[in-house]
Amino acid sequence: MQSGTLAFSPCHPFLRSRNIPRGLTSLTHHSNNLPLPTRRLDLRARHEQHDHLPSKPAFDPLVSTFPAVSPVVCKNGRKDFTVKASSVPESVGGDSASAEKGGSGGIAQTLVLGSLFGLWYLFNIYFNIYNKQVLKVYHFPITVTTLQFSVGSVIVLFMWATGLYKKPKISGSQLLAILPLAVVHTMGNLFTNMSLGKVAVSFTHTIKAMEPFFSVLLSAMFLGEFPTVWVVASLLPIVGGVALASMTEASFNWAGFWSAMASNVTFQSRNVLSKKFMVKKEDSLDNINLFSIITIMSFFLLAPVTIFTEGIKFTPAYLQSAGLNVRELCTRSLLACICFHAYQQVSYMILARVSPVTHSVGNCVKRVVVIVTSVLFFRTPVSPINSLGTGVALAGVFLYSRVKRIKPKPEAKAA
């Protein structure tokens, strides 16, 4: 007879007695026609307005989850939009930097922002814990990833149906343009789950700290965007730290290592690909809806692959025959799926309120928090050298997020 409940434990919480078989003004001339006092006021107001305009941020893969959607005007006068990578790929509005400086909300706005950061971290921590617990005993990462996309799709459809978020109007040409992004998004999440199933959570996130390296490499190879000396210098501690951590990782195996590396390549390939696609704009398609559409597309892309490769292995009969606690496994799988979608949605909400640089720093801190909490929860053995390597890599990521703001000086034109 199947056991009723099991304690919340880092150990195999679903096993009973058997193991399962082998987842972003100039002054106009009209101010000169104003009387002198008015002209001074007008000049001062325009000067202040110019000072408060947000500068266009540089591309930063640390906040690149999905590309921005930017309206453009074609030669025939028709408005289109570009799906492209930018430093605010997840932002809902274009005034994120000014919103951060505004101070209009005062203490209330600060409390809301702090709460969102807390939820972002919390959802991410619980996703990694629950997801690892499931993958530890249920060795079907493709099925697990498909379940996460399916639950996310249900949440998206519920929000659209209830009016919690406006349902977008989208054409077939838009879907075709978004399809490559959905493909690499699907692969990136799949490879992440494959890595989490093989190695410790802390090690997977340490390897994923190499995302800036692959962003610079792929941008140079396919877009001709070459990094500055400062950017290259910031990549050295990242690579060195990951290498040091890998050599001293107790849970190291090549399958987990290369899966995490493949996740880096696919996620950063998405950012490079997204700069090349243009589709017709029929209605507003903000980035939350773009993420929602990609989530649904990812489910339909991965579901057939799951059936073909792993079959239907999430039925109660199969789980019971594998010696698993069906109730515990299903509960924690569902919680992991909800947290997976929730932390990405909260990330969009944060980027609507802060600048990309602030989000980059927050993302770096989030990775540190996830690594530390996973080590403590799962009691992962960590040597001093391994801790040093992880710390150096994360420090390099933080340095990278800062030096990306340094723009190269324009070359002086010859007389």
Side-chain angles (χ1 to χ4, degrees), residues 1-247:
M1 181 176 179
Q2 181 180 325
S3 59
T5 57
L6 291 178
F8 190 84
S9 167
C11 300
H12 299 253
F14 319 115
L15 286 177
R16 293 193 295 178
S17 58
R18 289 178 288 170
N19 294 327
I20 68 168
R22 288 285 171 252
L24 205 216
T25 181
S26 59
L27 297 178
T28 55
H29 66 279
H30 78 273
S31 62
N32 295 325
N33 299 325
L34 298 173
L36 184 57
T38 307
R39 188 187 310 166
R40 288 177 178 172
L41 290 174
D42 183 74
L43 290 174
R44 181 179 302 173
R46 291 179 181 274
H47 178 71
E48 292 175 354
Q49 179 183 5
H50 177 75
D51 288 343
H52 286 80
L53 282 174
S55 58
K56 183 179 180 180
F59 172 67
D60 190 344
L62 296 178
V63 294
S64 287
T65 297
F66 288 100
V69 181
S70 302
V72 295
V73 179
C74 299
K75 293 181 180 180
N76 58 6
R78 184 184 63 190
K79 286 188 178 181
D80 286 3
F81 72 82
T82 305
V83 180
K84 64 180 182 179
S86 75
S87 59
V88 201
E90 299 177 358
S91 65
V92 181
D95 300 327
S96 59
S98 60
E100 183 181 10
K101 300 177 184 178
S104 58
I107 298 178
Q109 185 179 11
T110 303
L111 290 175
V112 170
L113 184 59
S115 300
L116 289 175
F117 268 98
L119 288 173
W120 186 27
Y121 290 9
L122 191 65
F123 284 134
N124 213 289
I125 291 170
Y126 275 101
F127 163 70
N128 281 279
I129 290 177
Y130 288 131
N131 199 38
K132 177 62 177 180
Q133 288 183 324
V134 171
L135 290 167
K136 207 171 188 179
V137 299
Y138 183 75
H139 305 288
F140 298 98
I142 306 180
T143 300
V144 171
T145 309
T146 304
L147 289 173
Q148 291 169 1
F149 287 137
S150 66
V151 173
S153 299
V154 171
I155 295 175
V156 168
L157 294 174
F158 175 79
M159 293 176 64
W160 286 344
T162 58
L164 292 175
Y165 208 83
K166 184 180 179 181
K167 181 180 178 181
K169 294 180 180 179
I170 190 165
S171 65
S173 60
Q174 289 176 321
L175 292 175
L176 288 176
I178 296 172
L179 180 60
L181 306 180
V183 171
V184 289
H185 174 69
T186 304
M187 295 174 62
N189 284 283
L190 174 58
F191 284 130
T192 299
N193 281 335
M194 293 174 65
S195 178
L196 286 171
K198 296 291 185 180
V199 297
V201 175
S202 56
F203 186 52
T204 296
H205 282 273
T206 299
I207 300 175
K208 286 176 68 65
M210 284 192 66
E211 284 180 350
F213 172 82
F214 289 101
S215 173
V216 171
L217 179 63
L218 294 173
S219 294
M221 292 175 59
F222 298 104
L223 300 178
E225 298 177 358
F226 296 97
T228 64
V229 175
W230 296 108
V231 170
V232 174
S234 70
L235 296 178
L236 297 178
I238 298 177
V239 176
V242 170
L244 186 61
S246 300
M247 291 187 297

Side-chain angles (χ1 to χ4, degrees), residues 281-298:
K281 178 181 180 181
E282 295 179 355
D283 201 349
S284 60
L285 182 63
D286 59 30
N287 296 288
I288 292 183
N289 274 327
L290 181 60
F291 162 67
S292 301
I293 292 170
I294 288 178
T295 298
I296 297 175
M297 293 178 70
S298 295

